[in-house]
């Protein structure tokens, strides 16, 4: 019997680029490697690819992975299957296809293309100020509560069968809005109906929506100096000119406004209950002065009440919205700090007469918020779990704050004075005179695996470089111990 062997083409010597350490799935890696070979001409039109059996032996990859990669090639027009013969490179490949870079993005970058002036302005301010790794003192971490986790999991099971629903209400689930309205009335003195509330993907989307509706490119917004960076970036992206007013122990200083030194802005963006990042609380006299100024000069105030639930001494000061008699304040809050950031649920309270404008703009930004997360939080609030959760969380956060302050006082008192906050999940420190460059301290600490955020990166006009920000939410004693020891070593070996 004569055995007829298929004639092997150049594909027989082809070896794919596979990186076992990559997080990219193997079928995807193999597909990209084959596609690159086709677009580069290393695998020519009409060539027969190795059978999955032979390829598995040659490449050390399972036949299932190879078959899946071949299927992707065929679905995108780079290969064709011939019944009883095998898989072949297509005679023509899709037009406009260019080489894909290395799987892990290590290839040569494309030629720089133009971006907007707003994007360029944000790029020049450097990388994100919010490291994502769970390093000691990183901000934005969440203190895990096992009881709340069990409750949320139990509630979530109720709402899993939602796959066939259509779009939801533009403003969000009415039950959730009603629950938020009731919660705000009791806890923050915010007087609003469910019809005035828009559910958003966290505070950031609420701010973007407010800035879009209330201001026109070229308008001016007054912000605190230093200022929460994402809020300022959002203003820049919307074409708004930003003016900073200094912050002291009583919050934003409105003296320049009252003296007529700056023109009335279209809007103010403020964090009056816990100024980010300094941690001061806007005094009652300044609250009333700001509200009066806004009413007299036809200005809007966007009040970011991002973590007002966490006050450790005394009763929370009334929100600006609760003091507002002229309907000039828009109020925004979030469940990211009080529950989970991954839920991506925040809210925006707008004056009743502005609801039609916000309803008109909302679909252009986001058709509707996700139903599943809203229903879970609505049940959590309606069934009365939230107050007890907040009490447990406050006690845990108070203990974390005091523990961190104790370690800092014990090991770093020579270099920094701790400003102990009565609220929030971060604390700031100020140089005692042994250093004068917060960015240099931050960079040296980060090399040792510790995050201390330089407040100067958040300055609008101020040149103050003598303050650092520490996060204490989700901070364990082991992390606080290790982190403060490392910082003591950093100060002992460097000049800043």
């Amino acid at each position: 019997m004569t055995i007829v062997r298929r004639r092997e083409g150049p594909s027989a010597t082809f070896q794919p680029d596979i990186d076992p350490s990559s997080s990219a799935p193997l079928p995807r890696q193999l597909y990209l490697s084959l596609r690159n070979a086709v677009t580069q001409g290393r695998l020519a039109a009409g060539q027969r690819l190795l059978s999955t059996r032979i390829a598995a032996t040659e490449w050390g990859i399972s036949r299932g992975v190879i078959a899946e990669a071949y299927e992707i090639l065929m679905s995108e027009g780079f290969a064709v299957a011939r019944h009883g013969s095998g898989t072949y490179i297509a005679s023509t490949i899709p037009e406009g296809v260019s080489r894909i870079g290395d799987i892990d993005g290590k290839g040569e970058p494309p030629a720089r293309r133009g971006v907007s002036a707003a994007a360029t302005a944000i790029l020049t301010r450097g990388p994100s100020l919010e490291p994502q790794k769970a390093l000691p003192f990183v901000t934005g971490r969440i203190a895990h509560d096992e009881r709340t986790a069990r409750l949320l999991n139990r509630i979530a099971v109720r709402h899993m069968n939602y796959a066939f629903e259509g779009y939801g209400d533009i403003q969000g689930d009415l039950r959730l809005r009603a629950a938020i309205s009731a919660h705000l009335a009791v806890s923050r003195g915010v007087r609003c109906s469910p019809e005035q509330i828009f559910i958003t993907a966290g505070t950031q989307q609420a701010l973007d929506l407010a800035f879009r509706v209330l201001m026109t490119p070229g308008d001016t917004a007054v912000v605190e100096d230093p200022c929460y960076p994402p809020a300022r970036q959002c203003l820049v992206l919307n074409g708004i000119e930003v003016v900073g007013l200094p912050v002291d122990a009583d919050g934003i200083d409105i003296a320049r406004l009252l003296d007529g030194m700056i023109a009335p802005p279209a809007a103010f963006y403020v964090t009056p209950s816990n100024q980010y990042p300094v941690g001061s609380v806007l005094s009652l006299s300044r609250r009333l002065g700001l509200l009066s100024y806004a009413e007299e000069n036809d200005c809007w105030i966007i009040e970011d009440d991002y973590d007002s639930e966490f006050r450790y001494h005394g009763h929370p000061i009334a929100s600006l919205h609760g003091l507002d008699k002229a309907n000039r304040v828009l109020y925004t809050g979030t469940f990211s700090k009080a529950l989970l950031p991954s839920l991506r649920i925040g809210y925006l309270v707008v004056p009743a007469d502005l609801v039609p404008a916000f309803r008109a703009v909302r679909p252009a930004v986001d058709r509707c918020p996700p139903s599943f997360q809203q229903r879970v939080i609505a049940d959590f609030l309606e069934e009365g779990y939230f107050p007890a959760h907040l009490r447990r969380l406050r006690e845990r956060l108070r203990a974390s704050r005091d523990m961190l302050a104790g370690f800092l006082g014990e090991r770093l008192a020579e270099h920094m004075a701790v400003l102990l906050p009565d609220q929030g999940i971060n604390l700031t420190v100020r140089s005692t005179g042994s250093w004068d460059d917060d960015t240099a301290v931050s960079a040296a600490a980060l090399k040792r695996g510790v995050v201390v955020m330089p407040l100067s990166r958040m300055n609008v006009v101020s040149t103050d470089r003598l303050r650092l920000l520490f996060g204490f939410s989700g901070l364990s004693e082991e992390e606080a111990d290790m982190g403060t020891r490392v910082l003591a070593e950093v100060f002992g070996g460097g000049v800043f």
Side-chain angles (χ1 to χ4, degrees):
M1 177 184 296
T2 303
I3 299 177
V4 178
R5 297 183 181 274
R6 296 185 187 274
R7 186 168 56 189
E8 294 183 340
S11 64
T13 60
F14 171 77
Q15 286 293 325
D17 296 321
I18 300 295
D19 181 1
S21 66
S22 172
S23 60
L26 284 177
R28 180 71 178 171
Q29 291 193 53
L30 178 57
Y31 154 71
L32 290 174
S33 184
L34 289 165
R35 175 171 165 166
N36 282 344
V38 172
T39 57
Q40 292 170 352
R42 291 187 286 126
L43 291 177
Q47 287 183 1
R48 181 178 181 273
L49 293 172
L50 294 178
S51 68
T52 57
R53 180 178 60 81
I54 295 175
T57 301
E58 294 291 328
W59 300 341
I61 304 173
S62 74
R63 295 181 69 179
V65 167
I66 296 166
E68 186 174 343
Y70 283 5
E71 287 291 338
I72 300 174
L73 279 176
M74 289 187 285
S75 69
E76 294 197 355
F78 289 93
V80 294
R82 297 177 186 172
H83 183 68
S85 178
T87 304
Y88 292 79
I89 302 300
S91 57
T92 58
I93 63 174
E95 293 183 4
V97 174
S98 60
R99 180 181 185 276
I100 297 177
D102 292 345
I103 292 168
D104 288 332
K106 299 175 183 177
E108 290 296 321
R112 183 178 179 85
R113 294 182 289 274
V115 297
S116 70
T120 300
I122 290 174
L123 282 169
T124 58
R125 292 192 62 83
S128 168
L129 294 175
E130 299 287 346
Q132 297 301 306
K133 293 182 179 179
L135 300 175
F137 316 134
V138 70
T139 61
R141 291 174 64 183
I142 300 304
H144 179 73
D145 183 84
E146 186 61 39
R147 187 181 306 178
T148 295
R150 289 197 301 269
L151 287 169
L152 289 174
N153 284 331
R154 190 176 73 195
I155 293 171
V157 172
R158 305 173 190 168
H159 300 292
M160 291 303 295
N161 187 24
Y162 66 99
F164 296 101
E165 294 183 1
Y167 292 108
D169 190 287
I170 289 171
Q171 289 182 236
D173 184 83
L174 182 58
R175 281 199 316 122
L176 177 57
R177 287 187 278 138
I180 291 173
S181 175
H183 168 69
L184 292 178
V186 172
S187 66
R188 302 298 297 130
V190 172
R191 307 178 309 277
C192 68
S193 69
E195 288 71 30
Q196 292 175 254
I197 296 176
F198 286 75
I199 305 300
T200 62
T203 297
Q204 196 63 23
Q205 189 182 62
L207 296 179
D208 183 54
L209 184 60
F211 298 158
R212 288 175 186 269
V213 173
L214 300 179
M215 289 181 279
T216 300
D219 281 351
T220 298
V222 167
V223 303
E224 301 154 327
D225 185 10
C227 176
Y228 177 55
R232 183 180 176 189
Q233 291 168 351
C234 189
L235 285 165
V236 171
L237 283 173
N238 281 287
I240 309 303
E241 298 293 329
V242 176
V243 174
L245 291 182
V247 170
D248 59 23
D250 291 322
I252 187 171
D253 187 353
I254 59 174
R256 290 177 60 199
L257 288 171
L258 302 180
D259 291 344
M261 297 178 66
I262 61 175
F268 295 88
Y269 166 75
V270 290
T271 54
S273 297
N274 181 28
Q275 200 281 327
Y276 189 94
V278 172
S280 57
V281 176
L282 188 62
S283 66
L284 182 59
S285 62
R286 289 188 183 179
R287 288 172 186 249
L288 296 175
L290 181 59
L291 289 169
S292 177
Y293 181 92
E295 180 180 3
E296 293 172 3
N297 293 278
D298 195 25
C299 308
W300 298 109
I301 301 173
I302 295 94
E303 178 181 11
D304 185 350
D305 213 21
Y306 64 99
D307 64 357
S308 61
E309 296 92 348
F310 308 126
R311 186 167 180 83
Y312 308 117
H313 299 287
H315 296 289
I317 295 177
S319 65
L320 273 177
H321 191 283
L323 298 171
D324 179 26
K325 307 298 183 183
N327 292 322
R328 307 306 304 178
V329 178
L330 289 84
Y331 178 96
T332 181
T334 179
F335 291 100
S336 291
K337 304 297 187 293
L339 284 175
L340 292 171
S342 57
L343 288 171
R344 302 309 305 139
I345 296 293
Y347 47 89
L348 176 67
V349 180
V350 308
D353 61 316
L354 292 183
V355 169
F358 276 84
R359 284 187 63 88
V361 173
R362 174 65 185 270
V365 178
D366 178 30
R367 177 62 182 84
C368 66
S371 299
F372 176 70
Q373 292 94 316
Q374 292 182 81
R375 291 176 179 176
V376 171
I377 298 180
D379 282 4
F380 192 80
L381 296 180
E382 284 185 341
E383 293 171 20
Y385 298 123
F386 198 41
H389 165 75
L390 289 177
R391 285 195 296 271
R392 293 193 301 272
L393 199 55
R394 271 194 292 266
E395 289 307 309
R396 180 175 299 180
L397 290 170
R398 186 208 306 267
S400 294
R401 179 202 64 173
D402 294 345
M403 173 187 65
L404 174 57
F407 277 126
L408 291 173
E410 176 185 339
R411 294 169 180 167
L412 289 150
E414 178 185 351
H415 303 288
M416 56 184 65
V418 178
L419 307 177
L420 195 68
D422 286 334
Q423 65 288 317
I425 57 177
N426 308 307
L427 64 79
T428 57
V429 302
R430 177 172 282 279
S431 171
T432 58
S434 65
W435 53 276
D436 58 10
D437 187 347
D438 58 358
T439 58
V441 173
S442 175
L446 188 58
K447 289 181 180 179
R448 299 285 302 275
V450 174
V451 173
V452 285
M453 197 175 296
L455 263 67
S456 65
R457 292 277 304 282
M458 308 179 210
N459 289 345
V460 180
V461 178
S462 172
T463 58
D464 188 350
R465 301 174 68 88
L466 301 177
R467 292 181 291 186
L468 297 166
L469 183 69
F470 289 69
F472 56 79
S473 58
L475 182 68
S476 68
E477 184 174 358
E478 292 76 15
E479 289 175 321
D481 182 20
M482 180 275 286
T484 51
R485 288 182 186 278
V486 168
L487 281 178
E489 294 171 3
V490 167
F491 278 107
V495 178
F496 308 106

